């Protein structure tokens, strides 16, 4: 959090920076490539305080030691059926992995570094899109194609983490994704285009408290603020938004702000995928545009303050590139999974001030924040054929009439 706070302070001091760069105030610390496409990402800290990345792959689950973030090392890999979709969460020392392939729920004991202690749990479903695990040890299985509901199958992990029991079902909507804080499930009903709030205090009898359509009517994910007064969503379509919603009156949810990625401003409308709340900030993965950080301390006026493009070979509204971003490691590092370029370990960087205009005589390739110092020599006579509107250092000997 310290790095994020310092970053906002510096940007407020000098709010001039280049939007055209592949990164802004964020740097890559490490990268691990794969010989297959990736999907989602999560993080884990072991009993010794070592940080790890849990990486969803097309053909299985990868467990990666990032205690040396500049040199990540895969510890073990568990094979699974081929699928575009895998989602991962943890409870205690266990990882839980869903997939839309017919594998059921992969449950892995992360204390066994050989990767041999795992099971594919198939009691209730074989295929599901997503999973969330709350602070009380209940897992919410979203978007099952063959289970008792495609809304949320609620599993109790407490008695036997490797063999959960069913605690309840939510079946009012197909839920694509969701998260739970306390007794409230914030669900993304993607095909209805609705953010919904559900009381899950009684797991056997979930009750809808309120709902609202989101800006592009394709609600992909949702995450609640720490104080519980705001929810932030993504709509997984080209040229769509990260949305902020005031949920302090849950029976009257109000949209209060929308924001798009840096690449939209460059004329390449992109697709937001997943957003997560980290204190006053949102960390969002975008297809073809990588990871962005938004200052949401004022949710009525969100401001993008950092980004890193993990997908330099892609642009626009393709479903390629960055899938997920995980911002909750104690170190402050951000993990990103890119379908083509692998696992990225990112860090927020303080601005390096200088001239960021490549046409300037004093261009600084290391600078990531423009300080207004650029010297652009050229013809400043507006009647000349080669008048240079960018030039701020006069050299009219260059003028052509």
């Amino acid at each position: 959090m310290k790095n994020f706070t310092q970053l906002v302070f510096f940007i407020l001091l000098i709010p001039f920076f280049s939007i055209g760069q592949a990164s802004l105030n964020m740097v890559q610390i490490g990268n691990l490539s794969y010989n297959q496409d990736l999907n989602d990402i999560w993080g884990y800290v072991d009993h010794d305080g070592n940080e790890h990345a849990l990486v969803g792959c097309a053909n299985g689950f990868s467990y990666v030691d990032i205690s040396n973030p500049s040199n990540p090392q895969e510890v073990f890999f568990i094979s699974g059926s081929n699928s575009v979709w895998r989602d991962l969460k943890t409870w205690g020392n266990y990882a839980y992995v869903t997939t839309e392939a017919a594998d059921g729920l992969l449950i892995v004991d992360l204390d066994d570094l050989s990767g041999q202690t795992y099971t594919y749990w198939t009691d209730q479903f074989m295929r599901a899109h997503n999973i969330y695990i709350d602070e009380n040890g209940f897992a919410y299985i979203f978007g099952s194609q063959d289970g008792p509901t495609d809304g949320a199958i609620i599993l109790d992990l407490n008695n036997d983490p490797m063999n959960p029991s069913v605690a309840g079902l939510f079946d009012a909507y197909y839920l694509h994704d969701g998260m739970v804080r306390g007794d409230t499930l914030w669900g993304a009903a993607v095909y209805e285009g609705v953010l919904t709030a559900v009381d899950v205090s009684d797991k056997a009898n979930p009750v809808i408290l309120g709902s609202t359509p989101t800006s592009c009517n394709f609600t992909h994910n949702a995450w609640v603020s720490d104080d519980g007064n705001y929810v932030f969503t993504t709509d997984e379509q080209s040229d769509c938004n990260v949305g902020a919603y005031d949920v302090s009156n849950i029976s009257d949810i109000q949209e209060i702000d929308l924001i798009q990625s840096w690449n939209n401003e460059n004329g390449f409308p992109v697709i937001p995928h997943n957003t997560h709340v980290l204190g006053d900030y949102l960390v969002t993965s975008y297809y073809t545009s990588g990871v962005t950080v938004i200052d949401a301390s004022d949710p009525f006026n969100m401001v993008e303050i950092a980004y890193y493009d993990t997908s330099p070979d892609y642009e626009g509204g393709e479903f390629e590139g960055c899938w997920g971003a995980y911002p909750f490691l104690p170190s402050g590092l951000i993990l990103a999974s890119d379908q083509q370029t692998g696992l990225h370990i990112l860090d927020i960087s303080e601005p390096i001030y200088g001239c960021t205009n490549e046409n300037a005589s004093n261009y600084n390739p290391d600078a990531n924040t423009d300080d207004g110092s650029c010297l652009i020599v050229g013809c400043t006579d507006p009647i000349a054929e080669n008048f240079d509107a960018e030039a701020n250092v006069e050299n009219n000997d260059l003028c052509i009439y």
Side-chain angles (χ1 to χ4, degrees):
M1 290 301 297
K2 180 181 177 183
N3 285 346
F4 281 73
T5 304
Q6 289 176 337
L7 177 60
V8 174
F9 173 74
F10 281 115
I11 289 175
L12 288 174
L13 282 177
I14 302 184
F16 303 101
F17 51 87
S18 171
I19 296 176
Q21 295 174 279
S23 65
L24 174 71
N25 299 323
M26 194 183 297
V27 294
Q28 179 170 283
I29 304 298
N31 175 239
L32 181 64
S33 60
Y34 287 78
N35 60 2
Q36 58 182 306
D37 284 0
L38 301 189
N39 33 67
D40 215 357
I41 184 86
W42 202 248
Y44 174 71
V45 181
D46 68 17
H47 301 297
D48 297 321
N50 297 314
E51 296 182 340
H52 296 78
L54 283 64
V55 184
C57 303
N59 291 315
F61 164 66
S62 174
Y63 185 62
V64 181
D65 182 351
I66 60 165
S67 54
N68 178 1
S70 64
N71 186 31
Q73 297 291 319
E74 184 176 75
V75 179
F76 63 79
F77 182 86
I78 297 174
S79 296
S81 301
N82 184 272
S83 178
V84 172
W85 295 278
R86 274 185 170 81
D87 197 74
L88 321 93
K89 300 295 185 294
T90 59
W91 170 249
N93 56 291
Y94 296 92
Y96 297 82
V97 185
T98 56
T99 177
E100 293 200 11
D103 283 350
L105 177 65
L106 172 63
I107 306 174
V108 185
D109 185 345
L110 299 176
D111 282 347
D112 180 2
L113 297 183
S114 72
Q116 297 303 305
T117 306
Y118 67 90
T119 186
Y120 279 103
W121 185 83
T122 58
D123 285 10
Q124 292 292 317
F125 63 92
M126 297 296 290
R127 300 188 299 149
H129 184 75
N130 220 314
I131 181 173
Y132 185 82
I133 302 175
D134 70 14
E135 65 269 27
N136 298 309
F138 289 92
Y140 298 77
I141 307 298
F142 301 116
S144 173
Q145 290 88 1
D146 51 15
T149 180
D150 61 4
I153 305 168
I154 307 173
L155 303 179
D156 187 345
L157 310 178
N158 288 280
N159 292 330
D160 186 352
M162 298 280 289
N163 185 28
S165 58
V166 177
L169 303 172
F170 171 78
D171 58 7
Y173 293 113
Y174 166 85
L175 292 183
H176 195 73
D177 199 352
M179 65 91 64
V180 180
R181 177 80 51 75
D183 290 329
T184 305
L185 162 64
W186 299 98
V190 65
Y191 298 128
E192 285 79 12
V194 166
L195 164 68
T196 187
V198 183
D199 181 352
V200 290
S201 56
D202 180 357
K203 303 291 187 288
N205 186 33
V207 177
I208 294 177
L209 301 172
S211 60
T212 188
T214 54
S215 60
C216 285
N217 298 305
F218 204 75
T219 319
H220 184 266
N221 99 303
W223 210 271
V224 68
S225 63
D226 291 349
D227 63 10
N229 289 326
Y230 305 96
V231 170
F232 303 91
T233 68
T234 55
D235 281 61
E236 192 192 22
Q237 291 188 332
S238 179
D239 203 23
C240 286
N241 311 286
V242 174
Y245 296 84
D246 184 340
V247 297
S248 56
N249 180 356
I250 209 163
S251 62
D252 185 26
I253 299 172
Q254 296 291 320
E255 179 187 289
I256 56 175
D257 197 20
L258 300 172
I259 191 170
Q260 294 183 320
S261 127
W262 61 277
N263 229 348
N264 282 67
E265 297 181 13
N266 282 354
F268 299 104
V270 295
I271 303 170
H273 197 207
N274 293 313
T275 195
H276 298 89
V277 175
L278 180 66
D280 287 335
Y281 303 92
L282 309 181
V283 178
T284 306
S285 55
Y286 277 86
Y287 295 114
T288 75
S289 285
V291 179
T292 73
V293 177
I294 294 166
D295 179 1
S297 55
D298 177 3
F300 291 82
N301 183 31
M302 297 185 290
V303 179
E304 186 177 82
I305 59 171
Y307 59 79
Y308 187 90
D309 186 2
T310 63
S311 317
D313 294 334
Y314 294 93
E315 62 186 17
E318 297 182 72
F319 289 95
E320 306 289 352
C322 191
W323 187 286
Y326 178 84
F328 303 119
L329 291 172
S331 64
L333 296 173
I334 296 172
L335 305 177
S337 54
D338 188 288
Q339 295 169 83
Q340 287 79 32
T341 60
L343 167 65
H344 297 261
I345 303 169
L346 307 173
D347 196 10
I348 296 295
S349 62
E350 293 181 1
I352 301 173
Y353 300 112
C355 173
T356 62
N357 189 325
E358 295 183 5
N359 296 323
S361 60
N362 60 332
Y363 165 63
N364 180 359
D366 295 323
N368 58 29
T369 304
D370 198 284
D371 61 1
S373 68
C374 292
L375 302 176
I376 302 174
V377 179
C379 173
T380 60
D381 187 345
I383 67 172
E385 294 178 10
N386 61 334
F387 166 66
D388 186 350
E390 266 196 316
N392 58 14
V393 177
E394 178 183 306
N395 185 352
N396 287 340
D397 291 340
L398 300 174
C399 294
I400 301 172
Y401 297 93

